[in-house]
Amino acid sequence: MWIKTYHMLATYKEELFKNLQTAIELEHSTIPPYLAAFFTINQDTNAFAWEVIRSVVMEEMLHMTLACNILNAVGGQPFIDNPKFIPEYPAELNFADRKFDVGIIKFSKPAIEAFLEIEKPSEQKLNVKGEDSKGFLHPINLDEKTIGEFYEAIKKQLIYLVEEYGEESVFDGNLTLQITPKEYYGSGGEIIVVNNLETALLAIDVIVDQGEGASGSIYDSDETYFGQDQEVAHYYRFNEIYVGQKYQEGDRPNENPTGEKVTINWKATVNMVDNPKASDFAIGSAARTKADEFNQLYSHFLRLLHLTFNGQSSLIVKAVGMMYQMKHLASELLNCPVADTKGSKVAGPPFEYIPLDQRKQFDWLVTELASELEPQ
């Protein structure tokens, strides 16, 4: 009987591992598109949009870290340095009621429209069993209508397993693999050490609330959980950019903001080619050289994250330093004209995976902290 019960728990946990790996991949899949928009705007000409996108990128890194903490807590293993981890952009996101492309494109209304689709709030929580959820996302397919509903399915899965098999059996991971507040570098929210059902559900609530708002509100839950300043959730931050106006107290989720107007200059952006690939640029050209180097750096960045979440937590500081270096390389790419393009377009960061055995060693200054990503 014990062997049968253990086998059933192991089977259910394999499904849980897949769903949490999916969550990690999903959180990461938003970062390159958000960074592309961030890289192609100027802090001076679009200060509000620059700050919004910067803050969202840092919180997506937090979400990815929290998802890794949950997976490690239940005895799984995050896989990040893997060619299947990175979607090919433009990536198709398929939800239960819609599908859309998310690409590596310059700051623009179409970019923000895609971001709004990604962060779309849940209209209701689905009453589904967690084991019905999908596994790896290639392309990204979800049976749920929103990211929030996907996480709701994971919550139900965790609750079910704890009720059936006990908390100690479900949360049997190695606690030394947890990323702690001491090690984590970020802005909004805080890292949560996951060691039981309560902390796992809290971590999921933070992820969902920062993305789409808490309990039907336009605000995230950072004020409640962490005593931080009240802040609107990602969806509503992007909507502030889109309509050029801030939310204020009393505004409702299904209505446009009514607060202070903000200046958004859609023309003040770098004219980057859509969805750049290193192979698009001529061998020997400045664009190809920098694109290859960017892909090398990005792949090393994924390696650092993989090691960070698999026992070498101190490397997270170097990973953040690499984000600064990616911005530097992206800036160089955005100054490389691309031949045979109309409108004087320039190259951009490809975010392509380079296998470990094909990576070169560059003298990157990875110890320099990402000062431009720090809270202002």
Side-chain angles (χ1 to χ4, degrees):
M1 181 65 181
W2 180 86
I3 294 176
K4 182 178 179 181
T5 300
Y6 178 82
H7 176 73
M8 291 177 63
L9 174 59
T11 300
Y12 283 129
K13 287 186 77 170
E14 281 299 321
E15 283 297 318
L16 177 62
F17 297 163
K18 290 179 182 179
N19 288 341
L20 288 168
Q21 176 68 29
T22 291
I24 296 166
E25 294 181 15
L26 182 60
E27 298 299 342
H28 166 265
S29 72
T30 68
I31 293 174
Y34 292 172
L35 283 177
F38 179 70
F39 292 158
T40 53
I41 55 177
N42 185 284
Q43 184 178 2
D44 297 324
T45 55
N46 268 309
F48 178 77
W50 186 94
E51 173 57 27
V52 165
I53 298 173
R54 180 210 63 80
S55 68
V56 171
V57 167
M58 294 307 295
E59 288 181 0
E60 293 297 344
M61 284 292 296
L62 172 64
H63 298 175
M64 184 177 170
T65 303
L66 290 174
C68 287
N69 269 2
I70 299 171
L71 180 53
N72 276 324
V74 295
Q77 180 183 7
F79 289 97
I80 296 172
D81 188 3
N82 186 299
K84 293 183 179 180
F85 184 77
I86 307 174
E88 182 178 351
Y89 297 99
E92 185 178 81
L93 273 69
N94 295 326
F95 287 88
D97 60 346
R98 70 198 193 283
K99 61 182 179 179
F100 55 95
D101 286 344
V102 178
I104 306 298
I105 64 176
K106 67 181 182 181
F107 174 71
S108 59
K109 279 198 169 184
I112 301 301
E113 287 168 357
F115 300 167
L116 288 169
E117 286 286 349
I118 292 171
E119 306 285 357
K120 181 181 178 181
S122 306
E123 294 179 2
Q124 60 183 4
K125 301 299 183 184
L126 297 183
N127 184 20
V128 298
K129 293 182 179 179
E131 60 264 27
D132 292 335
S133 295
K134 294 292 184 183
F136 287 81
L137 301 178
H138 305 291
I140 298 176
N141 299 296
L142 296 176
D143 284 343
E144 293 75 25
K145 294 181 181 179
T146 68
I147 292 175
E149 290 180 354
F150 170 67
Y151 275 110
E152 183 71 11
I154 293 178
K155 287 175 68 174
K156 290 179 181 292
Q157 192 173 22
L158 286 166
I159 292 169
Y160 168 78
L161 291 177
V162 168
E163 288 177 348
E164 289 292 316
Y165 302 101
E167 194 166 62
E168 289 186 4
S169 296
V170 176
F171 290 89
D172 61 348
N174 184 349
L175 272 177
T176 65
L177 298 177
Q178 292 289 305
I179 304 300
T180 70
K182 179 183 69 174
E183 296 148 343
Y184 183 74
Y185 171 89
S187 53
E190 291 181 9
I191 197 65
I192 296 166
V193 174
V194 179
N195 54 18
N196 55 25
L197 180 62
E198 180 182 5
T199 50
L201 298 183
L202 174 60
I204 291 175
D205 285 342
V206 168
I207 293 171
V208 174
D209 292 352
Q210 284 191 343
E212 59 184 52
S215 302
S217 166
I218 62 174
Y219 298 103
D220 63 25
S221 55
D222 289 358
E223 182 183 35
T224 301
Y225 294 141
F226 309 117
Q228 298 175 350
D229 292 340
Q230 190 177 63
E231 189 172 36
V232 297
H234 294 182
Y235 176 86
Y236 304 101
R237 282 183 234 173
F238 285 136
N239 200 40
E240 288 179 329
I241 294 176
Y242 194 73
V243 301
Q245 193 167 6
K246 291 183 180 180
Y247 286 92
Q248 63 180 352
E249 196 70 38
D251 286 348
R252 300 172 62 85
N254 58 347
E255 299 172 355
N256 274 329
T258 63
E260 176 189 354
K261 298 279 188 179
V262 293
T263 300
I264 304 296
N265 188 342
W266 297 105
K267 295 182 178 179
T269 184
V270 181
N271 196 22
M272 182 186 76
V273 295
D274 291 346
N275 302 302
K277 304 282 188 295
S279 59
D280 293 340
F281 312 133
I283 295 176
S285 67
R288 178 59 176 269
T289 300
K290 291 299 178 183
D292 286 339
E293 188 174 350
F294 184 93
N295 287 338
Q296 292 276 342
L297 174 59
Y298 176 56
S299 299
H300 279 293
F301 169 72
L302 295 179
R303 182 64 177 170
L304 274 185
L305 289 181
H306 182 85
L307 295 173
T308 292
F309 300 130
N310 284 279
Q312 300 185 48
S313 57
S314 63
L315 292 177
I316 197 166
V317 175
K318 287 189 175 182
V320 173
M322 277 193 167
M323 290 182 71
Y324 181 87
Q325 294 302 310
M326 279 192 277
K327 186 178 188 303
H328 175 74
L329 272 179
S331 297
E332 293 186 344
L333 276 163
L334 294 171
N335 280 286
C336 291
V338 176
D340 302 324
T341 59
K342 296 180 180 180
S344 302
K345 291 191 175 183
V346 295
F351 292 98
E352 295 173 299
Y353 183 83
I354 305 297
L356 184 61
D357 60 359
Q358 297 177 26
R359 292 178 200 167
K360 301 175 182 178
Q361 294 300 318
F362 290 86
D363 187 21
W364 290 307
L365 302 177
V366 297
T367 56
E368 182 175 1
L369 288 179
S371 58
E372 294 188 46
L373 297 175
E374 291 178 353
Q376 302 298 307

